[in-house]
Structure formats: structure tokens, C-alpha cells
Amino acid sequence: DAGVTQSPTHLIKTRGQQVTLRCSPKSGHDTVSWYQQALGQGPQFIFQYYEEEERQRGNFPDRFSGHQFPNYSSELNVNALLLGDSALYLCASSPLTANTEAFFGQGTRLTVV
Amino acid sequence: AQRVTQPEKLLSVFKGAPVELKCNYSYSGSPELFWYVQYSRQRLQLLLRHISRESIKGFTADLNKGETSFHLKKPFAQEEDSAMYYCALSGLGYGNDMRFGAGTRLTVKP
């Protein structure tokens, strides 16, 4: 099992563009969450997907949207990129149970210029 | 509102010394609390969770609901403990919806 895999590893976009980041969860996991980690900060919860629906959402504008596919993989889309969207984007997968361990990917480093 | 505060961004101790990484939280219900660790060039990984009351790599953490704290402790620090430590809270009981603190970088000097 390769664990949680994210692609691409690095990305440079221009302000105003749109970006799509991808995540494949750990085998057996049906829940995927996305986090944004700015430099020097802890990860910030963006949203969580289960059964192809957004279950919870953090304090992020609707420029941030996502999708989960029947195979549990997920995409994070960000529209109208701002310079402040530059960050490491982390995907984490888990089963949908209480007190469960979340397994994190290595992240996608997004730079907006 | 859910909030996690780690007051120390940097913490440095000598090998063999005790270490305590502080974490305070704000949440109106009964949260689940975790400590995650990130070693150099590795991905974020779970260290321990309060519900398990376990000791991992010599670390323990006790949930103090009165003080709303979940401090991480180890009696004798090792050089391999040097890493970034994040305290995290899950409010709705599904683990993978965490609010993280800003993290504490622990350096254990020889």
C-alpha cells in the first residue's frame, strides 16, 4: 500500500488562474479531508468528503471546492487564485469512525505568482 | 468555536532532560484530541490520541478538561525526538476533521 498519494508535488500558477490538486487515499479508507498549511502555520481544515459528498467545511471561501469519486479519490479545486493561496495543501484519509488516525500525504506545494 | 493554542513555537532541551509541549484548546463539547508529529522530510503522522491513554515513544498526554489542556510530556528526551509537534482537536467525532495548533518545533541537543 503506497499510503496517501498526492499530485502534483509542486505547482506554480498565476493570480486569477484555477488549479486542481489530486489525492488518492490509503487503501480501505473512504473519507478524505483537505488541509491548507501556510508557511509557519499548522494545517487548516478546508473540507471533508465522504460518499462523494462534502460533509464538513472549514472557514474557506467557496472559491475552494472539491470532489470525491466512487473509488474514494478526491480533487481540490481553487478558482480565481490569490497570492495568499500559496501554501502546502495536504490530503488526509481515514475511515469514517471516531478517534480514528488520519493518514497524510506529502502535500502539494502551490505557489501563486 | 474550535481553537487550539500551542504557546511555544520553539522549544529546546538537552538529551535526557524532561520535555513538556503545551496545548490548550477551546471547544464547547467533548472533543477528541491528538498529537501529530512531523520528522524532518517525512509526512505528518499520528503520535497519540487522548482516548487511547497510551504511551508512544515514551510520550504521554493527559486531557485536563478543567484547564482545557492536553500537554505532551516525556521524562527523558532523545535526540531523535527533534521534530515539529502539532496538537489537534476533532469536534464532531470523525477524526479527520481536525483543527490544528500552530505547532512547536522541538530540538533536543546532545
Side-chain angles (χ1 to χ4, degrees):
Chain A
D1 180 16
V4 179
T5 58
Q6 294 186 241
S7 64
T9 54
H10 296 84
L11 202 52
I12 299 175
K13 289 287 190 178
T14 303
R15 191 172 47 184
Q17 285 188 314
Q18 179 264 343
V19 68
T20 298
L21 310 182
R22 295 176 176 81
C23 172
S24 292
K26 182 177 170 64
S27 178
H29 287 179
D30 53 11
T31 303
V32 173
S33 293
W34 287 91
Y35 296 83
Q36 180 195 66
Q37 187 173 22
L39 205 59
Q41 301 296 318
Q44 300 298 306
F45 176 70
I46 302 175
F47 42 52
Q48 180 187 63
Y49 274 84
Y50 173 69
E51 292 190 338
E52 303 179 49
E53 292 191 358
E54 183 184 294
R55 295 191 68 254
Q56 296 185 63
R57 189 179 183 90
N59 189 25
F60 279 81
D62 56 12
R63 297 188 297 110
F64 290 77
S65 63
H67 190 76
Q68 185 179 35
F69 299 93
N71 67 353
Y72 307 125
S73 67
S74 178
E75 290 182 347
L76 164 66
N77 301 292
V78 187
N79 294 322
L81 284 166
L82 304 174
L83 297 179
D85 295 330
S86 295
L88 181 68
Y89 288 85
L90 296 169
C91 170
S93 75
S94 67
L96 190 73
T97 55
N99 281 291
T100 189
E101 176 179 359
F103 286 79
F104 283 82
Q106 289 279 31
T108 294
R109 172 72 62 187
L110 172 65
T111 302
V112 182
V113 297
Chain B
Q2 303 175 35
R3 187 164 55 245
V4 176
T5 304
Q6 293 180 252
E8 303 138 329
K9 281 193 108 43
L10 302 171
L11 184 62
S12 181
V13 301
F14 284 101
K15 176 183 174 181
V19 62
E20 180 179 47
L21 290 84
K22 291 184 169 52
C23 171
N24 289 90
Y25 68 90
S26 173
Y27 185 68
S28 56
S30 295
E32 298 172 9
L33 286 152
F34 306 83
W35 277 97
Y36 276 78
V37 61
Q38 188 167 29
Y39 301 103
S40 179
R41 300 183 186 280
Q42 294 187 26
R43 60 188 67 192
L44 204 55
Q45 59 187 282
L46 178 68
L47 179 62
L48 54 80
R49 69 199 96 181
H50 88 271
I51 196 72
S52 302
R53 300 187 64 81
E54 57 201 344
S55 173
I56 303 294
K57 299 184 178 182
F59 284 97
T60 59
D62 289 320
L63 177 60
N64 186 323
K65 292 187 177 180
E67 296 181 359
T68 59
S69 68
F70 188 55
H71 303 327
L72 183 68
K73 301 177 185 180
K74 185 169 183 177
F76 308 104
Q78 303 300 313
E79 289 181 66
E80 55 265 31
D81 296 329
S82 295
M84 196 74 186
Y85 291 81
Y86 294 96
C87 183
L89 175 157
S90 170
L92 294 182
Y94 294 110
N96 194 3
D97 60 349
M98 291 169 288
R99 274 62 175 170
F100 284 85
T104 298
R105 180 168 297 283
L106 174 66
T107 302
V108 181
K109 296 181 285 189

